[in-house]
Amino acid sequence: MPTKLLQAIVMLLWAALFLWLFFVDQTHLARLLHPKLWWLALIGAVILIMFSLVTLSRLQAPHQVAPLRWTWPSIAIMLVPLCYFWPVQSAQLDSRAFLKRTPLERFPPAPEAGGISKKQGVAAADAPATVTSLSQLVLTPEQFSGQKAEILCQVMHSDKLPQNQFICYRFRITCCAADAMPVFTFVQLNYADSPPEQDTWVRVQGSLSVHTIDNLSFPCIQDATLTPETAPSFPYIF
């Protein structure tokens, strides 16, 4: 009986967490899961509640259950992720995660001012007046060369870059934070401007150009102006 009771309690705790995320604290849910998959949290809570009710209904049943002294490790393991959830609330993917998931050593250093290839992009009539999608910009930088850009992103400094340049990045997800991969653009300021602090959120405005090395094209926003921003409620792109 104690084993079944504890199993039911653990399932109810997980169900309560899923329901809380779905109905009360979607800000934290947005940091963990793609918005199109939020229904999984609700379905998971319903299934866990059903399992826990079935387990409770069998408390007095004559089924043989292993004694608690043998089953408590498996029950404790199910509780461990719940303990980790509290520090996760203040955690975020930052420049350290950027370097772990895409080592900066793989990238060529950005060129000095004037060393960026300014390829002719598509005709102005065929291109958006201002590019606001970092994901689209990274995938096809040549298409937007010469256009204006306005990008919301995080700041990362590197010793490989000149003092007036930094990397502006966000993480792109397909399913959840576990598969997040960084996408980025170089940002070039005027030498008189001071770069923002590491991992702060900024809105970058400037003109787009293409930096090409070894047949790889990297977008760069030149003559950028920066506006400090607070972190968005949903920090990922997709």
Side-chain angles (χ1 to χ4, degrees):
M1 178 173 169
T3 299
K4 289 183 179 180
L5 181 60
L6 283 177
Q7 290 173 342
I9 291 174
V10 169
M11 287 187 285
L12 287 173
L13 286 174
W14 272 104
L17 174 62
F18 289 157
L19 291 174
W20 176 64
L21 286 172
F22 187 85
F23 289 108
V24 179
D25 200 357
Q26 292 187 351
T27 299
H28 286 119
L29 184 58
R31 298 171 61 184
L32 300 172
L33 193 64
H34 194 295
K36 292 182 178 179
L37 299 177
W38 285 3
W39 60 272
L40 290 174
L42 185 59
I43 295 299
V46 172
I47 292 174
L48 286 169
I49 290 174
M50 292 173 61
F51 283 175
S52 63
L53 292 177
V54 170
T55 302
L56 290 172
S57 68
R58 296 179 176 176
L59 286 179
Q60 303 299 330
H63 296 85
Q64 293 294 327
V65 179
L68 184 60
R69 65 177 178 272
W70 298 113
T71 58
W72 73 263
S74 61
I75 296 175
I77 289 173
M78 293 178 64
L79 290 172
V80 169
L82 290 174
C83 299
Y84 274 99
F85 179 75
W86 302 113
V88 163
Q89 296 181 65
S90 59
Q92 64 176 352
L93 293 177
D94 54 15
S95 55
R96 291 172 295 180
F98 182 104
L99 292 174
K100 289 181 179 179
R101 301 193 181 202
T102 307
L104 193 61
E105 288 76 11
R106 294 182 182 179
F107 301 137
E112 296 286 349
I116 299 175
S117 172
K118 295 184 178 180
K119 295 183 178 180
Q120 182 64 39
V122 296
D126 299 327
T130 301
V131 184
T132 58
S133 169
L134 179 58
S135 179
Q136 189 177 17
L137 172 60
V138 170
L139 289 175
T140 56
E142 296 90 347
Q143 180 181 357
F144 303 105
S145 180
Q147 301 299 310
K148 296 294 184 181
E150 182 176 332
I151 305 295
L152 177 64
C153 49
Q154 284 181 275
V155 174
M156 189 181 79
H157 301 290
S158 171
D159 294 337
K160 288 179 170 286
L161 303 179
Q163 292 183 352
N164 68 325
Q165 291 185 14
F166 62 89
I167 288 173
C168 210
Y169 70 94
R170 290 185 73 167
F171 285 88
R172 183 178 181 179
I173 68 169
T174 302
C175 169
C176 57
D179 66 21
M181 292 299 293
V183 292
F184 73 97
T185 178
F186 292 114
V187 176
Q188 180 175 296
L189 303 171
N190 295 321
Y191 278 101
D193 296 334
S194 299
E197 295 183 4
Q198 187 90 328
D199 293 319
T200 55
W201 284 86
V202 294
R203 187 172 299 276
V204 181
Q205 295 175 305
S207 59
L208 289 168
S209 58
V210 179
H211 168 33
T212 303
I213 290 183
D214 295 334
N215 296 321
L216 296 176
S217 297
F218 299 89
C220 181
I221 301 178
Q222 294 183 293
D223 301 322
T225 57
L226 309 178
T227 305
E229 293 277 353
T230 57
S233 58
F234 186 74
Y236 307 114
I237 57 178
F238 44 86

